Amino acid sequence: MRIASFFLLLLISTAYGQVDDLFYANDGKISFRSESKQELINASSNEMQGIIDEKKKTFVFKVMIRTFKGFNSELQQEHFNEKFLESEKFPEATFLGKIIEDINFEKDGTFEIRAKGKLWIHGVEKERIIRSTVTISNGAINIQSHFTVALSDHNIKVPKVVHEKVSSEISVEISTQLKKKRNQFFKNYRKRQPIDWACFCNI
Amino acid sequence: MYNIDHDDNLSDDYCYAMVLLPDGRICVGTDEGINFVEFANGIKKVTSFGNSQGLPDDIVRSMVIDTQNRLWLGFQEKGICIFDYTKNQITFQPKDISNGQINSLLPAGDNLWVNTEENGILKYDKYGKCSTLLLENNVQTRAIDILTDLENSLWFAESIHLTRTTGDKITAFTSINNSKIGFIHCVLSDRKGGIWFCPDSQLGHMYQNESGKWEIEHFKIMDSKQPADIVTIYEDKYGFIWLGSLGEGVYRFNPLTGKTRSFNIKANIEESSILSITGDNDDIWIGGFNGVSKLHIDSDGYSDKAIITKDTLFDTKMMKDYVYSIFIDSKKRIWFGTDENGAYYLKDDQLINLPLNHNSVHSFAEDQNGKIWFSMPDVGLGYFVNSNINYFTAKDGLSDPSPVSLFAMKNGKLIVVHSNGFDILDPNTLQIIYHSSEENLADINCDLNSISQSEDSTIWIGSEKGLINYNPFSDLNIIEPALSFSGISVFSKNIEASRTKFTHDENNLRFEINGLWYSDPQRVNYTFFLKVIPTSGKTQKTEV
């Protein structure tokens, strides 16, 4: 199955965009913070994947829900996966869309951009425009972003008993670097779940 | 059918909004600016205009053409602007709304409603003033779209709600800067646009700062340990505020210095419990539990120590009744509303009593035809014209038999305040528009002097629930419900509405209609008029 996905990616990349136009990330950092009356919860993952097509100004980022670590307790992590995010049923969170502003990816510099797209969390899609800082340096794209996610937007229900322990709005931070080293990306890609490339290429 | 997309030079395929321009072109808002689409000889032509051409933001989420054919654009990050589509340039961007996401725009008369993502719903008026739509409990909206109906109510759609509000017709101020407002006995709109009001023994002042935001300040008037309620308020020609209390006499307050001067028994004012204060030029009339006093500002009116004397020529013993209200009409007649002896008016030093069957009179107003209207508990309204007294009661359509306050607005209509809302009465046609519980006005429980009109014509009503702002110009222009016709049936079988001929035995017709009146749906009454028109020969024509 994974081999089939891999070949599908190659096929789609060839059909819809030049692979040379793509920047890849395998080890992006994504962290979230829930600050409520009774508890502060922080968790993060270093396994966020992403691709940016510099010509088409499109992107896709994905993280597997189960890769989030750093909860206050094992039980909390278990609740996060099983009760709130239902990670068996909805294993990944994805953000897929386009960059609004024009950027010259060939030239070093820092830009404020808006990334507009569909954010899927918990199987529920929400259109978002997320402001990010993009720094181009030595052929790599560095992205820093901070945004919030309302649990209600993604039908994430918090049981009443822990209402005061979990904020209704979660603060999310992203820090990642994308490069044109696709060999490394594909090497790592084989180990992981496939992104919905077809959606990405059809934007 | 045409398809217009990126291949036709549309700047982006994600389209948010479009309008038909007066010149026949279509303007489309996208993620990459605006596009003008036109067709000539079956050929599509698209020209775009984006951030690189001077548009403040590429993402154009909303657009409308206003009554002056101006094109307003609403952006994702940069507020709103007017775009001149004949010259392809931005002609105006309001400073107050130059940031933030605009979800939708709605022109309504001279105003533009601006539905924002982060700052609620804003009203941008023809004077360039921007104000936020206040909602009950100061709830912040995040509406997807907004709409006004025939009654000028403002509807907004959120992800899980559809809400109807009174828009800018009726706004309740229940708190400002976390300072709660409620249980107001009297209210005054001063000549500078400030609103003075008295909750219990305090004096509150509400005013708009430079950015149009309401601010509030409070003043302590009485030093006594058990301060009395202030129930009446009046601004004299020098800008000083007169306050009448229940038990502690009269005060003259200087808004510039915050100093208060007391007039009580020691100052030769017999009345300690005051119910009404009014004035004309340097004369100040005071009514209360012990009849009426007349004061005169002799000199130094702008000073805290103005020389004010009591007019001893005026015989207070003429009236020993409670005097609820004093009113000066356009002919300079002084009207007095009493507890048990109806109304009096003073003309050429003669006190004339109106025979009102010992009814109490609580307030007066004069309409634009010179009719003097007055309110009476348990009766309704009366009006005095050409020495005749006429009554206007609940039978005539008044919603409450015990009106509390009565006021003649600058638009010629009367506002009649009662415990559960207010009626707007046209004194010429005697038609009424009701504002009541459906507009959050249940149990407002206003007092006698709880109404005032500001220079800009808005009405301020002090109530138990806070300060209510009523904008007469935003009120509905219709007096009948919109009729929704849903069908006709003959013997319960639906038929085409266009059918006009029926056989002799098709004589059971059913009309399904709904009168839509969102402001007060329970008050809708239906009247049917069946008219039989004889025609030649054996047939008869019937009209409904």
Side-chain angles (χ1 to χ4, degrees):
Chain A
M1 177 63 194
R2 282 181 188 168
I3 292 168
S5 296
F6 175 67
F7 283 111
L8 179 66
L9 165 65
L10 283 180
L11 189 69
I12 290 168
S13 298
T14 312
Y16 289 91
Q18 294 297 316
V19 174
D20 288 348
D21 299 335
L22 305 180
F23 286 80
Y24 306 93
N26 269 314
D27 51 0
K29 185 175 178 184
I30 175 167
S31 59
F32 72 78
R33 180 183 174 94
S34 161
E35 200 169 345
S36 64
K37 270 185 192 171
Q38 291 188 357
E39 192 161 353
L40 173 66
I41 304 168
N42 281 309
S44 62
S45 166
N46 290 320
E47 296 183 28
M48 187 179 70
Q49 295 173 284
I51 304 177
I52 291 178
D53 182 328
E54 63 168 314
K55 286 272 157 37
K56 292 162 84 176
K57 297 203 304 179
T58 53
F59 65 83
V60 60
F61 287 92
K62 182 190 90 165
V63 64
M64 304 302 291
I65 301 299
R66 282 208 169 266
T67 62
F68 279 97
K69 304 278 188 301
F71 292 88
N72 294 339
S73 68
E74 281 183 15
L75 184 65
Q76 196 174 67
Q77 183 169 3
E78 191 182 313
H79 283 168
F80 170 79
N81 278 297
E82 291 176 11
K83 294 209 160 87
F84 303 155
L85 272 291
E86 300 179 275
S87 57
E88 281 293 315
K89 204 169 159 188
F90 309 110
E92 62 190 40
T94 311
F95 186 41
L96 174 152
K98 63 183 177 184
I99 298 163
I100 299 292
E101 281 73 18
D102 291 327
I103 303 177
N104 183 354
F105 289 93
E106 307 296 320
K107 199 178 165 188
D108 285 1
T110 299
F111 310 92
E112 285 292 317
I113 60 112
R114 283 171 292 178
K116 180 186 169 182
K118 290 168 182 171
L119 178 65
W120 271 281
I121 300 174
H122 193 231
V124 177
E125 173 195 316
K126 174 86 180 165
E127 188 174 285
R128 294 290 302 266
I129 296 176
I130 294 173
R131 203 159 247 296
S132 307
T133 305
V134 171
T135 304
I136 315 287
S137 176
N138 298 322
I141 304 171
N142 295 285
I143 299 175
Q144 305 282 333
S145 186
H146 174 252
F147 57 96
T148 58
V149 173
L151 298 184
S152 58
D153 281 349
H154 297 278
N155 199 23
I156 299 168
K157 287 176 181 140
V158 177
K160 270 188 184 167
V161 70
V162 289
H163 245 200
E164 300 215 321
K165 290 190 171 188
V166 180
S167 170
S168 60
E169 202 158 86
I170 307 297
S171 172
V172 180
E173 273 194 46
I174 281 173
S175 175
T176 186
Q177 187 177 67
L178 297 96
K179 290 180 176 174
K180 282 191 173 176
K181 288 179 182 172
R182 65 187 166 99
N183 288 343
Q184 184 62 34
F185 174 81
F186 287 134
K187 196 174 152 189
N188 288 323
Y189 173 76
R190 287 189 195 108
K191 298 175 191 169
R192 295 182 187 155
Q193 293 288 318
I195 293 174
D196 185 356
W197 301 106
C199 286
F200 168 55
C201 294
N202 277 326
I203 294 166
Chain B
M1 191 170 81
Y2 294 91
N3 168 258
I4 298 145
D5 60 14
H6 207 70
D7 297 340
D8 302 299
N9 291 331
L10 198 70
S11 55
D12 192 274
D13 285 348
Y14 197 106
C15 303
Y16 290 94
M18 59 181 174
V19 290
L20 179 64
L21 299 175
D23 61 17
R25 291 182 298 163
I26 291 164
C27 183
V28 184
T30 71
D31 274 338
E32 298 284 344
I34 52 175
N35 295 262
F36 297 99
V37 182
E38 57 191 306
F39 302 90
N41 302 321
I43 296 169
K44 298 178 269 186
K45 187 184 168 195
V46 180
T47 47
S48 56
F49 195 91
N51 184 241
S52 52
Q53 284 90 35
L55 216 57
D57 187 355
D58 263 327
I59 304 180
V60 181
R61 294 183 60 97
S62 51
M63 51 175 62
V64 286
I65 296 280
D66 69 10
T67 48
Q68 297 170 51
N69 281 337
R70 296 178 302 184
L71 174 63
W72 289 88
L73 305 179
F75 300 105
Q76 197 267 327
E77 277 197 336
K78 300 288 181 186
I80 60 173
C81 77
I82 296 176
F83 186 84
D84 184 338
Y85 46 84
T86 58
K87 294 175 183 164
N88 276 357
Q89 63 185 38
I90 303 287
T91 52
F92 177 64
Q93 185 166 34
K95 239 184 189 180
D96 294 338
I97 322 177
S98 57
N99 279 302
Q101 178 173 316
I102 308 301
N103 290 340
S104 59
L105 296 166
L106 177 70
D110 290 332
N111 300 323
L112 180 74
W113 288 106
V114 183
N115 173 26
T116 74
E117 177 72 4
E118 296 97 3
N119 302 312
I121 299 170
L122 311 174
K123 185 178 85 172
Y124 186 73
D125 69 20
K126 64 178 175 182
Y127 305 109
K129 211 170 92 181
C130 178
S131 53
T132 307
L133 175 73
L134 284 180
L135 296 171
E136 202 177 3
N137 301 325
N138 294 334
V139 172
Q140 183 79 31
T141 57
R142 193 171 273 190
I144 297 161
D145 206 359
I146 52 176
L147 176 81
T148 51
D149 62 23
L150 286 173
E151 298 159 40
N152 272 343
S153 299
L154 183 77
W155 297 69
F156 59 86
E158 291 174 288
S159 54
I160 51 168
H161 295 113
L162 175 65
T163 308
R164 181 179 64 82
T165 75
T166 50
D168 66 339
K169 258 191 310 186
I170 300 168
T171 309
F173 289 78
T174 53
S175 69
I176 290 175
N177 299 335
N178 295 322
S179 174
K180 284 195 173 176
I181 304 172
F183 297 95
I184 295 164
H185 300 301
C186 52
V187 66
L188 167 82
S189 178
D190 70 19
R191 289 190 283 271
K192 291 178 183 167
I195 311 300
W196 298 87
F197 57 96
C198 297
D200 302 328
S201 58
Q202 293 181 59
L203 175 63
H205 180 221
M206 217 170 88
Y207 60 96
Q208 280 179 296
N209 63 20
E210 284 174 359
S211 61
K213 202 177 162 220
W214 286 100
E215 302 282 353
I216 194 167
E217 56 187 344
H218 293 282
F219 299 95
K220 191 181 172 188
I221 300 299
M222 288 171 225
D223 287 326
S224 50
K225 283 180 185 170
Q226 288 184 309
D229 285 350
I230 297 169
V231 296
T232 180
I233 187 166
Y234 168 74
E235 181 186 19
D236 68 23
K237 68 182 245 194
Y238 305 101
F240 281 61
I241 308 294
W242 289 75
L243 304 159
S245 73
L246 283 179
E248 294 287 331
V250 177
Y251 296 85
R252 188 174 187 247
F253 174 79
N254 184 347
L256 297 177
T257 62
K259 283 185 181 171
T260 308
R261 180 176 169 190
S262 168
F263 294 85
N264 49 31
I265 296 168
K266 289 174 194 166
N268 200 21
I269 303 247
E270 288 89 345
E271 297 78 25
S272 60
S273 287
I274 311 300
L275 296 170
S276 178
I277 304 177
T278 191
D280 179 34
N281 210 1
D282 282 321
D283 290 338
I284 306 291
W285 292 87
I286 297 166
F289 285 5
N290 291 324
V292 178
S293 289
K294 183 184 172 191
L295 304 184
H296 187 265
I297 302 170
D298 294 335
S299 60
D300 299 327
Y302 290 105
S303 162
D304 291 332
K305 295 176 181 173
I307 297 170
I308 298 170
T309 54
K310 188 171 178 181
D311 185 348
T312 51
L313 295 174
F314 181 72
D315 183 5
T316 57
K317 291 182 179 60
M318 285 163 76
M319 248 178 294
K320 272 296 167 196
D321 204 355
Y322 284 13
V323 174
Y324 287 120
S325 60
I326 308 176
F327 175 76
I328 303 168
D329 71 14
S330 58
K331 295 174 185 164
K332 302 287 181 192
R333 291 177 298 187
I334 319 290
W335 293 79
F336 306 99
T338 71
D339 187 38
E340 288 190 343
N341 294 308
Y344 293 84
Y345 67 92
L346 187 67
K347 190 185 172 193
D348 304 327
D349 293 332
Q350 291 286 316
L351 198 59
I352 299 157
N353 180 237
L354 299 190
L356 293 173
N357 301 325
H358 302 288
N359 282 318
S360 298
V361 171
H362 278 181
S363 50
F364 293 95
E366 180 180 9
D367 70 20
Q368 288 180 341
N369 297 319
K371 280 184 207 161
I372 304 297
W373 292 73
F374 40 89
S375 68
M376 293 166 286
D378 301 321
V379 177
L381 300 180
Y383 55 96
F384 179 69
V385 59
N386 299 330
S387 304
N388 292 318
I389 296 168
N390 300 286
Y391 292 93
F392 189 84
T393 66
K395 277 184 189 169
D396 303 302
L398 211 58
S399 57
D400 193 305
S402 291
V404 184
S405 292
L406 177 64
F407 192 86
M409 299 189 289
K410 289 177 187 171
N411 65 2
K413 293 181 180 171
L414 301 178
I415 177 165
V416 187
V417 182
H418 54 84
S419 303
N420 290 295
F422 53 87
D423 298 350
I424 304 298
L425 171 66
D426 186 327
N428 297 316
T429 60
L430 300 182
Q431 282 173 325
I432 301 181
I433 294 166
Y434 302 99
H435 294 289
S436 54
S437 55
E438 284 289 326
E439 294 169 308
N440 291 329
L441 296 171
D443 298 320
I444 53 173
N445 298 324
C446 300
D447 286 337
L448 298 185
N449 302 303
S450 56
I451 189 162
S452 183
Q453 184 161 33
S454 59
E455 293 288 314
D456 66 0
S457 293
T458 59
I459 295 287
W460 292 89
I461 302 169
S463 80
E464 208 172 280
K465 288 184 167 179
L467 269 172
I468 296 162
N469 175 271
Y470 167 66
N471 185 354
F473 296 112
S474 292
D475 208 350
L476 47 159
N477 296 316
I478 55 164
I479 50 155
E480 287 171 357
L483 203 63
S484 164
F485 183 80
S486 51
I488 312 174
S489 56
V490 177
F491 287 110
S492 301
K493 192 180 172 187
N494 290 337
I495 59 163
E496 290 292 323
S498 55
R499 190 176 154 194
T500 54
K501 287 185 179 175
F502 299 90
T503 59
H504 72 282
D505 56 351
E506 286 181 318
N507 54 9
N508 185 312
L509 281 91
R510 181 172 158 154
F511 300 88
E512 288 175 33
I513 52 173
N514 270 306
L516 300 174
W517 192 262
Y518 298 109
S519 306
D520 200 347
Q522 290 180 352
R523 206 183 279 274
V524 175
N525 288 314
Y526 296 87
T527 305
F528 301 91
F529 181 61
L530 197 65
K531 189 178 169 188
V532 178
I533 304 169
T535 55
S536 61
K538 297 169 185 173
T539 57
Q540 278 191 330
K541 194 177 171 186
T542 307
E543 279 184 1
V544 177

